[in-house]
Amino acid sequence: MIRREFITLLGGAAAVWPLAARAQQPAMPVIGFLNATSPEANTVRLRAFRQGLKDTGHVEGENVAIEYRWADSQFDRLPELAAELVRRRVAVIAAPGATPAALAAKAATTTIPVVFAVSEDPVRLGLVASLARPGGNLTGINFLNVELLAKRLELLRQLVPAAVRVAVLVNPADARNTETTLREVEAAARAMQLQIHVVRASTSHDIDAAFATVVHQRSDALFIAGDAFLNSRRLQLALLAARHAVPASYGSRDYPEYGGLMSYGTNLTDAFRQAGLYTGRILKGARPADLPVEQSSKFELVINHQTARILGLAVPPSLLATADEVIE
């Protein structure tokens, strides 16, 4: 009897010990991921973000969890989505890819670290005090696409030298980005003696209507603003440009990969990887105030040569020679 009781007690203790050990383990940290569009539009970039995390020793589902909040291109939802993550008491908020997401995260908290990836100057946006010493609770990546707008228009002119009238497609839901884009493009167009007219779209239906306007006004070329919503509709934009035989310039390589004519800009997938790296470093104890804002240094010119041939465009040999990738 005594021996049986001892064995029973021993078995009960063995069952309790693993539970006690698990209870003593620290809770898995949670990242809040805030994005202006949808998971479908960010499949490759999400993979890059997770790779950045992995490079710092963090693997989703193993030693870190991620709470996702997607605005589905309804930018007015971002403040409430950011507030949800704050209430969830996440360890860090990652808001890569769109200025409105970064601004919503900044407005939602002054204590939770925030990692952004934006196309505009984060100092001018009020996200950080300086690039070298951000201060506060935000840091991240500046992928500089706004600074490349004039160069992108110049490359479009080289590819379509007969162009006189250029339509510029912007998303009015992101008023700040629209204002900046139009200011930069209009200044560059004046220097090149190009006529600019603006078309706007913040829904899929708007994009169809915008192309109808472009065709009606007989635009010689189309310049697509760098915008999270427009990027999420890249297949629709590339197909409409092909259908209406409109040469178009885009800000990221996603577009020519879907059949768009040409792009010039930062590799956004790499910007998401960098955001993942910074998020992982913060989880390891780094302070956002001490992590300088990273500025992208790799800019890609991608030309879809097959699309150019379909449009009847002869790509200058000098442009082909300088392209980082030519899609045949």
Side-chain angles (χ1 to χ4, degrees):
M1 178 68 72
I2 293 173
R3 183 172 180 274
R4 185 178 300 129
E5 289 175 352
F6 175 76
I7 293 172
T8 302
L9 287 170
L10 186 63
V16 171
W17 285 340
L19 294 174
R22 283 197 294 270
Q24 291 173 3
Q25 291 177 356
M28 187 181 294
V30 178
I31 299 167
F33 189 93
L34 181 66
N35 191 272
T37 59
S38 66
E40 295 79 17
N42 288 277
T43 304
V44 175
R45 293 170 189 169
L46 268 178
R47 194 179 305 132
F49 177 79
R50 295 185 184 113
Q51 182 60 51
L53 282 175
K54 187 176 181 180
D55 291 343
T56 64
H58 296 92
V59 178
E60 183 180 10
E62 292 185 12
N63 58 0
V64 69
I66 305 179
E67 288 268 347
Y68 296 95
R69 295 294 184 274
W70 304 95
D72 293 321
S73 299
Q74 299 175 48
F75 290 0
D76 57 350
R77 295 182 57 210
L78 286 166
E80 176 53 32
L81 295 175
E84 285 181 16
L85 293 174
V86 172
R87 290 193 294 269
R88 177 69 174 77
R89 296 183 180 180
V90 297
V92 56
I93 296 175
T99 297
L103 291 172
K106 176 179 171 60
T109 180
T110 58
T111 55
I112 296 174
V114 175
V115 176
F116 57 75
V118 296
S119 63
E120 301 175 63
D121 179 358
V123 176
R124 191 182 307 134
L125 291 170
L127 294 173
V128 296
S130 74
L131 298 179
R133 298 192 65 82
N137 62 313
L138 284 84
T139 189
I141 317 302
N142 178 15
F143 49 85
L144 297 173
N145 273 5
V146 168
E147 287 80 354
L148 304 178
L149 291 172
K151 177 65 175 178
R152 183 148 70 88
L153 187 62
E154 177 189 331
L155 290 168
L156 179 60
R157 180 67 180 273
Q158 289 180 38
L159 189 53
V160 194
V164 175
R165 294 172 54 81
V166 178
V168 181
L169 177 62
V170 295
N171 174 15
D174 189 348
R176 189 189 297 265
N177 183 55
T178 293
E179 178 186 353
T180 303
T181 298
L182 293 180
R183 181 178 65 245
E184 297 291 327
V185 173
E186 287 171 352
R190 283 193 297 272
M192 298 178 207
Q193 298 183 322
L194 293 172
Q195 300 172 21
I196 293 293
H197 63 94
V198 181
V199 287
R200 296 173 171 82
S202 54
T203 67
S204 176
H205 177 73
D206 289 346
I207 291 174
D208 291 334
F211 267 88
T213 301
V214 168
V215 172
H216 178 72
Q217 295 185 344
R218 297 187 178 183
S219 301
D220 300 312
L222 175 62
F223 188 97
I224 308 290
D227 171 79
F229 162 68
L230 294 177
N231 186 273
S232 73
R233 303 301 304 171
R234 51 191 176 270
L235 178 58
Q236 179 186 8
L237 288 164
L239 288 174
L240 285 170
R243 182 184 304 165
H244 297 292
V246 179
S249 168
Y250 311 92
S252 72
R253 65 178 299 125
D254 305 337
Y255 292 93
E257 288 175 350
Y258 276 80
L261 176 60
M262 70 177 296
S263 68
Y264 181 68
T266 304
N267 186 318
L268 297 184
T269 300
D270 190 60
F272 271 63
R273 183 192 61 80
Q274 289 177 296
L277 279 170
Y278 260 25
T279 302
R281 289 181 64 182
I282 289 170
L283 289 175
K284 282 179 171 287
R287 297 171 62 245
D290 300 329
L291 291 174
V293 173
E294 290 278 350
Q295 291 190 287
S296 297
S297 57
K298 183 180 180 182
F299 311 116
E300 300 177 316
L301 171 61
V302 180
I303 298 172
N304 190 313
H305 206 186
Q306 182 180 14
T307 299
R309 285 192 290 266
I310 291 171
L311 293 172
L313 296 173
V315 183
S318 59
L319 212 52
L320 288 173
T322 56
D324 295 274
E325 184 176 350
V326 177
I327 298 173
E328 295 291 351

